[in-house]
Amino acid sequence: MTRRFVLLIALVLLAGCATRGPVTSGSAERGPWQDQVSRVQALTSWTLAGKVGLHTADESTSANLDWRQTPNYYRLLISGPFGAGRSTLEGTAQKVTLTTSEGRVSAASAEALLDQELGWSLPVSSLDHWVRGLPAPGDAFERDTDALGYPTQLTQAGWTIDYSGWMPADGLWLPRRLNMQRTGIEATLIINAWQPETKGD
């Protein structure tokens, strides 16, 4: 498996789409999920920083992640230690572009980009919902929750997403760690910082 193949999967798995310091829980306590779910659903603009890991039968890789999301645009930067091997995935409703050291490729959507480069696709449009702890609209799902109603596991579109920990950010509690699995692929996202934004572009 080439590095480009692994990088492309890692980027598109996380797209929907200045690193900030980590957010810590301090002494805050989570209220029930139902008290904040409408505000999480309304959250359509954010930046987050963390690390992403991808595991397949042939290879494992990890990288730093900086993801900016708005209703009309997303930009995902992924790089190795000290910025090595930096790549960018940018998208709008009309076009998605992946830029790496090997060049630039574009398609009408992230799903189309995967199909164009690899011959198969993934439910990329679900990921901006999953990263907030929400099921994507339009597809059947199953969900397990904790005593406060926060998702602990979400199953949708052939993927199983496990949520391990939540962190406070601007009055919300948002996922800290996601483990996403389907046959042959496992992706882990560890979020060091969430920064919700009040207005989209």
Side-chain angles (χ1 to χ4, degrees):
M1 182 178 293
T2 67
R3 181 181 180 278
R4 181 183 178 87
F5 180 89
V6 173
L7 178 61
L8 183 61
I9 296 174
L11 281 166
V12 179
L13 272 171
L14 292 166
C17 18
T19 299
R20 304 172 191 273
V23 177
T24 57
S25 60
S27 60
E29 295 184 2
R30 286 187 293 153
W33 172 253
Q34 197 59 38
D35 289 351
Q36 70 159 26
V37 67
S38 62
R39 289 180 292 141
V40 174
Q41 291 168 339
L43 176 62
T44 57
S45 297
W46 70 79
T47 59
L48 67 79
K51 291 195 69 175
V52 57
L54 180 72
H55 307 278
T56 71
D58 300 314
E59 190 167 343
S60 296
T61 188
S62 63
N64 299 316
L65 174 69
D66 186 349
W67 178 356
R68 172 164 166 72
Q69 179 83 30
T70 77
N72 303 313
Y73 169 78
Y74 60 81
R75 183 195 66 205
L76 193 150
L77 307 179
I78 189 166
S79 62
F82 308 110
R86 177 167 164 156
S87 301
T88 305
L89 184 73
E90 296 182 273
T92 66
Q94 293 75 39
K95 184 179 180 181
V96 174
T97 300
L98 172 66
T99 305
T100 72
S101 60
E102 299 177 25
R104 178 178 295 181
V105 292
S106 297
S109 68
E111 289 93 341
L113 182 63
L114 261 184
D115 190 59
Q116 171 183 303
E117 294 296 300
L118 306 177
W120 51 271
S121 192
L122 295 168
V124 177
S125 57
S126 301
L127 292 166
D128 67 325
H129 290 81
W130 294 348
V131 78
R132 289 176 285 157
L134 303 171
D139 288 327
F141 66 91
E142 296 181 4
R143 177 169 50 192
D144 295 329
T145 62
D146 64 16
L148 294 175
Y150 285 77
T152 56
Q153 186 177 88
L154 176 66
T155 303
Q156 189 174 35
W159 287 85
T160 298
I161 304 97
D162 291 300
Y163 296 92
S164 303
W166 296 75
M167 61 198 305
D170 197 24
L172 297 172
W173 284 87
L174 297 170
R176 181 189 298 273
R177 181 185 177 108
L178 293 79
N179 184 266
M180 300 175 283
Q181 299 181 63
R182 68 172 298 169
T183 303
I185 301 174
E186 179 179 353
T188 301
L189 173 60
I190 301 172
I191 301 170
N192 296 323
W194 266 106
Q195 184 62 49
E197 299 178 10
T198 56
K199 294 182 180 180
D201 289 353

